[in-house]
Amino acid sequence: MNLRLILSALLVTGALTAAPLAEARRPYKNLKVLADNGRTLKRAMKYLSKGLGVKCTACHIKGKWAKDNVAEKDDARRFFRGTVGVADRPARSAALADLLKILDRSSARNEALVWKAVSMFEKSDDH
């Protein structure tokens, strides 16, 4: 077989498998505000839910995390827009107060954990 033909076949095969491999490394779907930063995103979400004192299903459908069928998911996105990368403490506190009200919570279970989670998040380049 011709060396050029072999190299071309390898390049095509590599190009065809690159997309699925990239997708496998980016398991999170439907991120509209937060960036997919891998394991940090999952850990920060766990801190956030514990800090707020809610389960993940407060904003997500169990097993269908990317779905937008829960109204509170948009409220959480509004919270992220108002806190991630924002230095204005009163604005951040107001965003947390709004989210807690929507979640029917008088206060966060552990506010320090909420802010730790927020500090771990990165905004998406699109938003």
Side-chain angles (χ1 to χ4, degrees), residues 46-54 96 100 105 107-117:
K46 285 184 180 187
Y47 287 157
L48 183 67
S49 65
K50 286 182 181 188
L52 290 170
V54 299
L96 177 57
L100 289 168
R105 310 269 316 158
S107 64
R109 178 178 287 159
N110 182 337
E111 194 170 323
L113 202 53
V114 171
W115 297 124
K116 179 178 181 175

Side-chain angles (χ1 to χ4, degrees), residues 48 52 59 72 75-77 79-80 94-105 114:
L48 183 67
L52 290 170
C59 298
E72 289 79 3
D75 299 318
R77 286 181 174 133
F79 167 75
F80 294 136
L96 177 57
D98 289 345
L99 182 62
L100 289 168
K101 184 176 179 181
I102 289 161
L103 295 173
D104 200 25
R105 310 269 316 158
V114 171

Side-chain angles (χ1 to χ4, degrees), residues 23 32 41 43 75 99:
E23 189 64 29
K32 296 181 180 178
L41 181 71
R43 188 175 27 179
D75 299 318
L99 182 62

